Amino acid sequence: MARLTIYLLGGLSLGLCAATLAADKPSSTAGKSKPEQPALERFQWRDDEEQSFTVSGRVIIEAQDGGLLVLGQDGRLWPVEKPQLVSREAMNEPFRALSATALGKQLQAELGAGFDVVITKHYVICSSADRQYVQWCGALFERLYLSFYNFWKQRGVKLSEPEFPLVAIIFPKQKAFAEFATKDAGPDAATALSYYSIDSNRMVLYDLTAADTGLPGQKVDINQRLAAVPYNVATVIHEATHQIAFNSGMHVRKADNPLWLVEGMAMYFETPDLSSKNGWKTAGAVNDERLGQFRDFLGRSRKPDSLETLIVSDARFNDADQMPDAYGEAWVLTQYLIRTKKDAYVKYLNTLATKPPLVFDTPEERLAEFRAAFGEDLKQLDADLLKQVKRLK
Ligand SMILES: [Zn+2]
């Protein structure tokens, strides 16, 4: 089966945002995509630990070696290798996404007692956290959703409605989050503040405002709690932006999306606005934390070819030491391109949106695509970008 890669796009602070887990079992490259109006099929397979799975879904990719990338009706992607496959049968009906209600029931069955479901226009939130916090998150998600679509549609980006209800799982405390995250996405995710999983298509968060107030049993107003944890808004918006971007047709799940772009997009939206009612207003505000990260990098160790190394591979995002610098630089580059080369950026986004899953570009191809969009002269671009950054405040 084609490369199995799980992206975790996690929380904001401590530089713990993205981690691309090591590619597992590389084999053949991807095959061709399936045609429109796919049929529902039932797949049974056994993984390497002899665990059995039965999933109704559709095939996204059928690799030349017989491996499959299966999309479940809940939106989860399953890589299935040929030797693991036990059976595959047609269900004689078209593929349909689960309804929000059915998905909520499935989540409750998975997560167990104590989890309630809150359904909003586009989201299914399954949570055992404080109800007030969950409702605050739901309102923030919907507000972001509307802003994201308005922002990009006005700028000529081709977006579609999500095929699946957007799922968020919210735990009340870090401990329960970390236990779940370790099983769901591995130990790196457990140390993050939150993550969006490209495989499960779900956001997983915990109530960052639930830290002890020192007043046991006393109810503290949500706004007071939010004000006490300023990075809470940014963390929630960051993950929710990833999820919308991957469900609106902007990014293709498991395609070779450059991380500078994916993370830059989330950071372009994440900046909180604490003067606003729910702590967030719009995209594109100057992100003091990211700007600070970049200026620190600039004063310390930024190399003349930094832009190129950021663009040609995701390596700097996957190295713990270089990660904060890469994030700062990705934010700076993203806001620069959107502000000064908007049409080129939109064209580039639309190009990336056509990339098929599990086909990976070489560094040379990535660079060529970037140059085709934004110009050949990276040195000039870098100089212009640094000039603009100086003026930012
Ligand atoms: Zn991220």
Side-chain angles (χ1 to χ4, degrees), residues 16 32 44 81 87 140 149 157 182 194 255 259 262 318 321:
L16 285 169
K32 54 186 187 297
Q44 287 188 293
E81 293 179 36
S87 67
L140 188 56
Y149 273 80
V157 178
T182 305
S194 55
L259 268 188
V262 170
N318 296 321
D321 292 337

Side-chain angles (χ1 to χ4, degrees), residues 46-53:
R46 216 171 280 131
D47 71 8
D48 294 346
E49 277 94 50
E50 291 298 312
Q51 198 183 342
S52 290
F53 296 86

